[in-house]
Structure formats: structure tokens, C-alpha cells
Amino acid sequence: MPNERLRAALFHKGLTINSFADRIGVDPKTVERWITKDRQPYRRTRVAVAKQLDVEETYLWPDALTKEQVVSASSSEIVTIYPHRWGVPRDAWGRLFAEAQQEIGILVYSGLFLAEDSGAQRILADRARAGVRVRILLGDPDAAQVAQRGKDEGIGESMAAKIRNVIVHYRPLLSFETVEIRLHSTVLYNSIYTADDQMFVNTHVYGVSASNAPFWHLRKIPGGEIVSTYLDSFERVWADAKPLPTEG
């Protein structure tokens, strides 16, 4: 069957078979065979094609990778594991967001430690000013899930109060057109911080504060599926969340 995904990806980028073949250094007939006969190039070429088209390799060729290759690539996405969030170097947060060129995402209940960091606030503002899309998901302070999380951590209503405090910190960012803030009411299993192909994941453990829970630093690589799984989760929460109400 023809590879309609590859054909559509070329069309979306405004590329012809000939122009794309020139770009990646192959014969146009080779690209045509990839499309019309669904031939699969070698992995190095598949990676190059996917990168040029800004899509996942597995989107263009779903059956290309073996189970062992997926496991190996996914393992390579793990940059560092910290036993606790408080063990993450402070400058690591700055580097994560400062290097973003396209998109920043934050999914938390409150994330008060980050909202109170004036340096992080300046970086988020700088990136937004540069045209980087910034999406922030905070827990709805009136949601039952937030109340339960406060109970689980032994801080009761302080969880909702922390979120309201964070909202005050983040509101000035809404002056930038590229910044959006939404409130969610999910049972949050992990806090997620993304910046293009890099990601921090703060796991949530019952009865343990987020600052004491394990923490992952991940970087997306072709064929890996860990980062994609967390990104999909972020998008599902974003889709169901509601915009932050205007003041007044």
C-alpha cells in the first residue's frame, strides 16, 4: 500500500519528490518508491527523513522498529535520574527553559517553588517575548482532586492556597500573546516540565511531597517512546483543562 503519511508530510512542508530528494541526497525515484510502494529506507535515512519533515520516524513507518530497538532507544532518552527533586541543580531549570526555541510546557498542581523563582520567571518572559509558546497547567484550586492531594501530602487546604499564590505569580506572563494558562482537575500522577525535546518529570508518590519524590531528566531521541508518552499525557490534560478566569 502507498505510504500516504509520507506523501502528506511532504505536501504539508510544501516539498515535491524532487526537491525533497535533493535535500536528503537520494535519487527522486527512491523517494517515489518510498511513497508508492511503501519501501523502507535504512534506519539512518529514516531518521534523517523524519527530522526533515518534523515528524516521528514511527509515524512514517510504524512497523520499522523492532521491539528491541524501541526499548534501546527509549532507554537512551533517560539523561539523569535524581532520587529527589530537591537534588536537581538550580541552574538545570534555567538551562531547560532558556534553551527552548519553540515550546515550553508546565504541568503541575502548584509548582510553587518554580513560580517563586524570579530567575525562572524572567526566563519564561524572555522566551515568550522571543515567540516561544508557553503553556502552563495548574491544578484547579476548587477541584476535589487538589483537595485530596493536599490531604495525601498532609498539608490539607494549603495545596489550594499554594495554587492561588502561583496564579498571582504567573498572571503577568499573560501579557504575552504566546502564553496560555489553564486549570485542570485531573489526578496528577507526575508533574511535567517540557522545553522542545527536553523534559523533566517529577514523579508523584503517595504520602510523599513532590520535592522528595524521584525525578527524571529526559531528552527525546528518534525511536524512543518515553518522552512521547509523557507529551501525550500533557496534551490530554491540556485538552480537558479550562482557561484561567480573568481577574475581577
Side-chain angles (χ1 to χ4, degrees):
M1 294 178 63
N3 190 331
E4 296 298 341
R5 290 185 176 184
L6 179 55
R7 191 197 306 273
L10 288 174
F11 177 80
H12 179 71
K13 285 291 185 178
L15 296 168
T16 65
I17 288 178
N18 287 340
S19 64
F20 187 65
D22 288 341
R23 180 174 292 193
I24 59 174
V26 300
D27 189 282
K29 292 183 179 179
T30 299
V31 178
E32 188 173 353
R33 284 194 293 271
W34 295 344
I35 295 174
T36 60
K37 298 183 178 181
D38 197 17
R39 298 282 178 84
Q40 291 184 12
Y42 290 115
R43 177 130 198 268
R44 179 179 297 179
T45 305
R46 294 200 307 266
V47 171
V49 169
K51 184 176 181 180
Q52 286 287 338
L53 298 176
D54 292 326
V55 295
E56 295 291 333
E57 174 191 356
T58 50
Y59 171 77
L60 296 175
W61 294 284
D63 301 324
L65 299 181
T66 66
K67 180 178 179 180
E68 290 74 18
Q69 287 175 317
V70 171
V71 170
S72 177
S74 298
S75 298
S76 297
E77 290 188 310
I78 302 172
V79 179
T80 309
I81 298 178
Y82 299 91
H84 312 288
R85 191 188 70 204
W86 55 257
V88 179
R90 185 176 182 276
D91 63 349
W93 293 93
R95 289 197 304 272
L96 175 74
F97 296 130
E99 294 175 1
Q101 298 297 316
Q102 297 178 325
E103 182 163 0
I104 290 172
I106 298 173
L107 169 58
V108 293
Y109 270 148
S110 71
L112 181 60
F113 75 99
L114 187 62
E116 289 183 327
D117 187 327
S118 59
Q121 287 278 9
R122 284 195 298 271
I123 291 172
L124 291 175
D126 288 344
R127 292 292 79 211
R129 190 177 296 110
V132 174
R133 186 186 186 192
V134 179
R135 292 189 291 168
I136 301 174
L137 279 161
L138 303 173
D140 184 338
D142 297 319
Q145 292 83 353
V146 169
Q148 184 61 49
R149 181 63 185 180
K151 181 180 178 181
D152 293 344
E153 289 192 9
I155 61 174
E157 296 180 359
S158 293
M159 178 62 73
K162 287 165 65 177
I163 295 172
R164 293 189 173 93
N165 191 3
V166 169
I167 290 173
V168 173
H169 283 291
Y170 280 142
R171 272 199 186 275
L173 291 173
L174 291 175
S175 63
F176 299 101
E177 293 184 358
T178 57
V179 176
E180 298 177 80
I181 301 177
R182 294 185 183 181
L183 301 179
H184 69 90
S185 56
T186 63
V187 176
L188 194 61
Y189 300 106
N190 303 278
S191 293
I192 299 173
Y193 310 84
T194 69
D196 295 343
D197 64 344
Q198 292 200 72
M199 175 180 290
F200 287 170
V201 176
N202 191 175
T203 64
H204 290 187
V205 181
Y206 180 80
V208 177
S209 66
S211 63
N212 280 323
F215 191 97
W216 296 28
H217 178 188
L218 308 172
R219 184 187 294 270
K220 178 64 180 171
I221 68 169
E225 296 186 354
I226 297 178
V227 173
S228 295
T229 298
Y230 283 114
L231 287 175
D232 289 345
S233 177
F234 183 100
E235 294 298 341
R236 285 195 292 270
V237 177
W238 181 261
D240 292 334
K242 57 186 181 182
L244 180 69
T246 58
E247 291 183 291

